[in-house]
Amino acid sequence: MASVIGAGSAALRKVISEPLARRKRKAHVLSDGEQASLASDSIDAIIESEILPRLLMAHSSGGAAPGGGSAHEIDALDASRFASMPLHSEAAELLEEVDAYLAEGVSVEAIYIDLLAPAARKLGSLWEADECDFVDVTMGLWRLQEVMREIAVRSPPVVKALSAPRSILIAPIPGDQHSFGAIMLDDLFVRAGWKSEVLVEPGRRELLSRAGQKPFDVVGLTISRDCPSAAITHMINALRSVAANPHMRVLIGGRVVNENPDLVAEVGADGTALDARAAVEIAEQLVREAITSVHQTQ
């Protein structure tokens, strides 16, 4: 453990602290109205679009618990207790807590989604509310990264094998900088046996180019910031027009879609999922429907 926990601490602290410092400094030079606007999404912007991608990118193919499933869930009270630990506990202590969950059969996916990510968001919330100082938040986030790095080193991937592997291209909709959801989806699809590719912050041209180069079964778009429905419709239509697979399905998700499920039909998407875990099942269903539709027309 010593070789990973504590390694490169100065560099890691710099990576995490810089986005926090930039955002905090920016808040001090804005007007009251602008500060209110910034505060409305600053936690998501700091944690999801700047910090958590750094935590996940290094090990997006990290392992699952033996057997692939999660024999136990993480209790909400336990998750809340853990969320306060990074402020005062060293990475080694946090890892002991995580190891206990893994030993009980909790999957790495559940550790990421139900334990570490909420802890990171809790730190962001405390910092936004000025309930702890900048150094405490920075060190807490660094400790979470150390734990995730250790999990990646010690947990080899256990990937389910599909007889006919599906393929998916996942990306935030162009202009949306919240890449955390896309990165996590990529990780979960890989573990489910899919051939998955993720574009972290794609421009429109990059996304369309990739969809036209490879016959993906599904394209998954995450939408975290408010976006005109017409813009989403245009993006989906453009993807269909260039798709190398004429039967490609489009899956959309994220905060904006969860708040307005009718958006799926409105923009011409094929489906949505309430969370990352459900996305794999929905995507499988969409591919099965596409295959059935092709057979019926032949």
Side-chain angles (χ1 to χ4, degrees), residues 62-240:
S70 179
H72 300 274
E73 296 181 353
I74 297 174
D75 183 85
L77 292 177
D78 288 340
S80 178
R81 177 185 60 83
F82 181 89
S84 65
M85 290 183 63
L87 283 175
H88 54 76
S89 300
E90 295 300 326
E93 297 175 69
L94 300 179
L95 186 61
E96 289 179 2
E97 292 276 331
V98 169
D99 281 340
Y101 286 113
L102 293 173
E104 292 174 0
V106 176
S107 69
V108 171
E109 292 96 327
I111 295 295
Y112 284 178
I113 299 170
D114 300 329
L115 201 67
L116 301 186
R121 292 193 182 95
K122 175 67 176 295
L123 288 171
S125 299
L126 292 173
W127 179 70
E128 286 287 335
D130 288 325
E131 294 182 19
C132 61
D133 64 29
F134 175 75
V135 174
D136 287 338
V137 173
T138 300
M139 288 304 302
L141 291 168
W142 172 74
R143 288 164 183 150
L144 290 176
Q145 167 146 347
E146 292 289 77
V147 170
M148 296 188 74
R149 289 179 60 192
E150 181 68 13
I151 293 173
V153 169
R154 294 179 358 188
S155 302
V158 180
V159 178
K160 299 176 184 177
L162 297 179
S163 57
R166 317 298 195 193
S167 61
I168 184 169
L169 175 64
I170 304 171
I173 194 165
D176 192 334
Q177 296 180 343
H178 291 233
S179 55
F180 171 57
I183 294 170
M184 184 168 287
L185 281 172
D186 174 63
D187 184 51
L188 296 179
F189 272 93
V190 168
R191 293 180 187 176
W194 284 60
K195 295 180 178 178
S196 178
E197 293 186 25
V198 61
L199 301 177
V200 176
E201 291 185 20
R204 178 184 175 90
R205 179 177 298 179
E206 180 186 5
L207 179 56
L208 293 176
S209 174
R210 193 65 192 123
Q213 291 171 356
K214 184 174 179 179
F216 293 99
D217 294 303
V218 178
V219 169
L221 297 177
T222 61
I223 310 169
S224 299
R225 292 196 176 189
D226 292 332
C227 180
S229 60
I232 303 173
T233 300
H234 292 159
M235 187 71 249
I236 291 175
N237 289 341
L239 283 167
R240 295 191 195 282

Side-chain angles (χ1 to χ4, degrees), residues 234-254:
H234 292 159
M235 187 71 249
I236 291 175
N237 289 341
L239 283 167
R240 295 191 195 282
S241 69
V242 302
N245 176 8
H247 308 293
M248 180 193 76
R249 296 296 187 256
V250 177
L251 181 69
I252 62 174

Side-chain angles (χ1 to χ4, degrees), residues 241-289:
S241 69
V242 302
N245 176 8
H247 308 293
M248 180 193 76
R249 296 296 187 256
V250 177
L251 181 69
I252 62 174
R255 179 189 63 82
V256 172
V257 187
N258 290 344
E259 292 178 356
N260 179 21
D262 292 338
L263 191 64
V264 177
E266 183 179 340
V267 301
D270 296 298
T272 187
L274 289 176
D275 56 42
R277 292 185 179 94
V280 175
E281 181 178 348
I282 298 297
E284 286 279 3
Q285 179 181 334
L286 291 177
V287 174
R288 288 195 297 269
E289 291 175 354

